[in-house]
Amino acid sequence: MALTSTSSMPSTGSPRVGAVAVVAPYGEAGRHAQEYARRGWKITAVTLPAHALPAQHREGTDLSDYPDVIEHVGGLRRTARRLRERGVSAVIAGSGIGVPLADRLTRALGLAGNDPGTTALRTDRGVQAAALADAGLAAPRVLRTASLAGALRWAESSRLPAYVVAVADSSAAAPPAVCRSAAEISTAWRRLRRAAHHQTGTHDLVIQEYLPGRQYIVHTVSSPASQHAVTGVWAEERTSQHVHTRSDLMASPSLLVRSLYLYAMRVLDALCVETGPARFRMVLTGRGPTLLSARAFAEPPLAAELFELTAGIDHLREAVRASTTGLVRPWVDDQTVSRFVSRVSLIAPREGVLDAQLLRTVTTLPTVRHVVGSLVAGAAVRKTVDRQSSPGELVLSAVSRQAIEEDYRVIRAVERLGLYDGAAL
C-alpha cells in the first residue's frame, strides 16, 4: 500500500544543489544543517532577536553546525533581501517558534510554501479544532482563551466527564493535563499558563473535551507539487495517570493505518498544508480518527541513526529530501519492514536511585538497541509524572514482535523488583 496522495503532477525529483534558510533552529542539535550539508546545499540559520524570544530560548543555542547565521532584525524585507543575496531557494522552520517567520519569508522570496495567512492553522490547537469542525471532520470541542474564569464557565456549561487543558501553541513541550473538576482545571491552568509564557511567550491556553483511548502519532511530508505522503505511524500507550509507557512503530498495510492515513490527508487540506513536514496526534473515537493537535515542523527523532537502520524512517530526513528534490517518498510497505521498533519509557513510582545490577539487566536485554537519557548506576531519579520526568527511554528493535513483548515485560518486572532502590554513589 503506497501511503501517498497527489493532487497535481509531481516534479521530476531531479537532485539539485541550492541554498536553504533554517528559521529559528532552536533545540534541534544541528540536524537540519547536517542533512542539507549531506546534499551539498549551502545553509543559513535565521535567528530571532533576544527580545522576541520566549524565556526558554533566550540563553542561546548551539549553532556551530551552521556556517552562516543572520539575525532577523530590521524587518521582513531586510531579512528577505539578505537571503536573496545568498541565493536561498528554500526556507524551512527549525522549530515551532520559527513557523510564522518561515511562512512569511517563503512568500517574500517568491518560493513555493504555505500561505502565511493560514499559519495559525498549523500552530494553534484552538484554531485547528475550529477549522476541522468547519470542514466536517472529527475534532474535539474546544475553547481557546487566556482567562481561567472563561474556561471554568465553558466547562460548567459543557458538562463533560473530563477535560484537557493544554498550551494553545501546539509546539509547546509542556504536556496537557486531564482534569475532572473545577479544582483540577484551576491547578492545571496556573501551571500551564506559566509554561506557555516560558516556552512560547504567550499565556494562551485551550480547554477541550477529553477523548480517551490509545493515541497515534502520524508523520507526513508534503512537496511543493501538493503531493502528500505519510512517513510513519506510531501507536502510544499510557498509564491510567496518562504517563507515556511505550510507542510502537506500526506496519503500514492495515485497516487502522489506512483509516489514519485517509483522515490525515483530509486534515492536511483543512489546515492548508501545501509543503513541508507535519506531525499529527490523533485518537480513535466513535467518529473515527480525531485530531488532538498538529505541528508543522520536523523534530529530529531520538536515536535517528538507529531508526533509519531498523525501519528506514526519519521524518526530518524525509522533509529535507522533499525540499531538495520536490518529491515525497511514500511510507515503506510491510515487505520492506524487516524489524519492529518500540520506544519504552522508564517509569519511577517515586524518587529513588538507579540500582547498578538491575540497570545492567534492562540495558543489556536482547532487543535493546539504544538508551536515551543519562541512565547511570547510582544516579538519582525523580517520580515520573510525564514523559519529560522519565529517567530515560529504551529503544527496542527485533525481527519479531514477540521478542520485543518479552523484553518489555522484563523491563516492567525489573522496575517492580527495585530498579529505583539502589544506593547513591
Side-chain angles (χ1 to χ4, degrees):
M1 180 175 63
L3 297 189
T4 184
S5 172
T6 311
S7 57
S8 62
M9 290 299 293
S11 69
T12 62
S14 300
R16 70 183 195 273
V17 176
V20 62
V22 183
V23 181
Y26 303 124
E28 52 102 287
R31 274 294 310 283
H32 280 99
Q34 295 162 15
E35 290 301 325
Y36 279 102
R38 287 178 63 247
R39 295 177 176 270
W41 278 52
K42 297 179 181 179
I43 310 116
T44 297
V46 179
T47 62
L48 304 178
H51 67 82
L53 288 171
Q56 182 178 3
H57 300 299
R58 287 178 190 162
E59 295 181 0
T61 190
D62 182 10
L63 298 174
S64 58
D65 286 303
Y66 289 87
D68 182 34
V69 179
I70 66 173
E71 186 178 24
H72 175 58
V73 292
L76 184 69
R77 290 185 178 180
R78 182 174 185 268
T79 300
R81 184 177 67 251
R82 297 173 71 183
L83 295 179
R84 195 175 290 112
E85 291 170 351
R86 289 162 167 79
V88 165
S89 53
V91 179
I92 63 166
S95 63
I97 197 173
V99 173
L101 180 57
D103 286 348
R104 293 168 59 213
L105 285 171
T106 300
R107 175 62 60 86
L109 292 169
L111 303 173
N114 297 313
D115 182 356
T118 61
T119 297
L121 290 171
R122 297 176 292 279
T123 59
D124 191 288
R125 292 173 187 263
V127 178
Q128 289 165 4
L132 294 184
D134 289 344
L137 296 175
R141 285 174 281 180
V142 64
L143 173 70
R144 184 190 190 281
T145 180
S147 167
L148 172 57
L152 291 172
R153 286 193 298 269
W154 183 85
E156 184 178 6
S157 64
S158 299
R159 298 185 179 278
L160 298 173
Y163 305 86
V164 171
V165 176
V167 178
D169 188 329
S170 61
S171 69
V178 178
C179 307
R180 291 180 169 80
S181 67
E184 290 182 355
I185 292 172
S186 299
T187 300
W189 197 272
R190 297 185 184 96
R191 174 177 61 82
L192 287 167
R193 192 172 185 270
R194 291 191 298 270
H197 188 260
H198 180 72
Q199 296 177 15
T200 71
T202 74
H203 292 104
D204 296 326
L205 304 181
V206 296
I207 181 171
Q208 63 189 49
E209 66 173 315
Y210 170 59
L211 300 175
R214 174 180 289 189
Q215 295 184 4
Y216 301 90
I217 306 300
V218 180
H219 291 159
T220 68
V221 175
S222 303
S223 77
S226 297
Q227 183 186 30
H228 304 310
V230 170
T231 61
V233 179
W234 293 81
E236 287 191 354
E237 292 185 6
R238 296 173 179 269
T239 68
S240 59
Q241 300 301 313
H242 312 290
V243 176
H244 176 269
T245 59
R246 62 187 288 180
S247 296
D248 299 304
L249 181 66
M250 300 182 69
S252 56
S254 71
L255 291 177
L256 172 57
V257 170
R258 182 67 180 175
S259 67
L260 294 171
Y261 159 74
L262 292 173
Y263 178 78
M265 295 299 105
R266 298 183 67 189
V267 170
L268 285 164
D269 291 337
L271 301 186
C272 299
V273 177
E274 298 181 19
T275 67
R279 176 183 180 272
F280 300 139
R281 179 175 292 276
M282 303 178 183
V283 65
L284 287 180
T285 68
R287 295 183 61 191
T290 302
L291 182 75
L292 299 178
S293 65
R295 295 180 179 180
F297 63 99
E299 292 178 299
L302 299 173
E305 295 80 5
L306 174 72
F307 290 164
E308 183 177 357
L309 174 66
T310 59
I313 293 175
D314 185 329
H315 193 209
L316 188 149
R317 180 166 292 182
E318 289 304 314
V320 170
R321 180 179 183 272
S323 72
T324 56
T325 67
L327 284 181
V328 292
R329 183 171 59 182
W331 194 17
V332 292
D333 294 328
D334 64 338
Q335 293 92 341
T336 63
V337 177
S338 59
R339 303 185 71 86
F340 294 90
V341 182
S342 298
R343 289 168 54 177
V344 177
S345 292
L346 296 180
I347 302 175
R350 59 189 175 280
E351 292 185 354
V353 174
L354 288 171
D355 180 85
Q357 183 175 353
L358 294 179
L359 178 62
R360 191 179 308 112
T361 298
V362 297
T363 56
T364 58
L365 289 169
T367 68
V368 173
R369 297 290 182 270
H370 191 81
V371 175
V372 180
S374 301
L375 291 177
V376 179
V381 299
R382 52 179 173 161
K383 179 180 178 180
T384 303
V385 296
D386 52 33
R387 199 165 186 175
Q388 285 68 42
S389 57
S390 167
E393 291 189 6
L394 301 175
V395 180
L396 281 54
S397 178
V399 295
S400 73
R401 175 63 66 188
Q402 181 179 356
I404 287 180
E405 296 302 325
E406 290 175 355
D407 281 358
Y408 177 76
R409 288 193 289 270
V410 172
I411 292 169
R412 296 307 181 204
V414 169
E415 285 186 316
R416 293 190 294 271
L417 283 172
L419 176 59
Y420 310 109
D421 296 334
L425 294 180

